[in-house]
């Protein structure tokens, strides 16, 4: 089970009372859940991380890629990629010199071309 900072803050708030924590520890961003259940129904975020359930994903402010755990395809070895510049944008918001380098680093594809800032 993955325990997040948000989960710990919620648990401490419940045990110690909201006044025992700094204001930002228990004030979620607008539209984000305040507390999530511990039911394990994994979902995959666009950041390539598997979240224990959809509530936790939304609490982290990450868009949904698909239901179920993230799938990772075996990628090439990092040193095996050609030195060809055909940029691609990863789901982490970084521009990679080519798709081989992106896959070698285990990052999902957002789109072709450099990432827009």
């Amino acid at each position: 089970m993955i325990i997040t900072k948000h989960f710990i803050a919620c648990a401490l708030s419940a045990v110690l009372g909201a006044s025992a924590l700094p204001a930002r520890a228990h004030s979620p961003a607008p539209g984000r859940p305040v507390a999530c259940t511990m039911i394990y129904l994994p979902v995959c975020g666009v950041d390539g991380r598997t979240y224990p359930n959809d509530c936790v994903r939304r609490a982290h402010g990450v868009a949904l890629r698909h239901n179920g755990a993230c799938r990772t395809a075996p990628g090439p070895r990092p040193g095996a990629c050609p030195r060809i510049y055909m940029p691609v944008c990863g789901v982490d918001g970084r521009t990679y010199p080519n798709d081989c380098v992106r896959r070698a680093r285990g990052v999902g594809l957002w789109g072709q071309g450099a990432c827009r800032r």
Side-chain angles (χ1 to χ4, degrees):
M1 176 171 78
I2 298 171
I3 297 179
T4 64
K5 291 178 190 176
H6 181 78
F7 174 79
I8 292 170
C10 289
L12 285 174
S13 178
V15 172
L16 302 175
S19 61
L21 296 174
R24 64 177 257 247
H26 61 274
S27 298
R32 291 192 186 172
V34 175
C36 297
T37 66
M38 294 180 62
I39 297 171
Y40 186 71
L41 292 170
V43 295
C44 182
V46 295
D47 60 356
R49 294 182 60 192
T50 299
Y51 293 89
N53 59 50
D54 197 55
C55 179
V56 174
R57 176 198 55 84
R58 288 183 292 119
H60 282 271
V62 177
L64 177 68
R65 178 181 286 167
H66 60 78
N67 289 321
C70 296
R71 299 175 209 58
T72 55
R77 292 187 337 264
C81 294
R83 295 179 146 234
I84 298 170
Y85 187 70
M86 293 178 65
V88 294
C89 182
V91 295
D92 60 357
R94 293 185 176 163
T95 298
Y96 293 88
N98 59 54
D99 197 52
C100 180
V101 173
R102 176 198 58 83
R103 288 184 294 122
R105 298 223 174 115
V107 177
L109 178 66
W110 182 261
Q112 298 295 322
C115 297
R116 296 181 185 168
R117 298 275 170 186

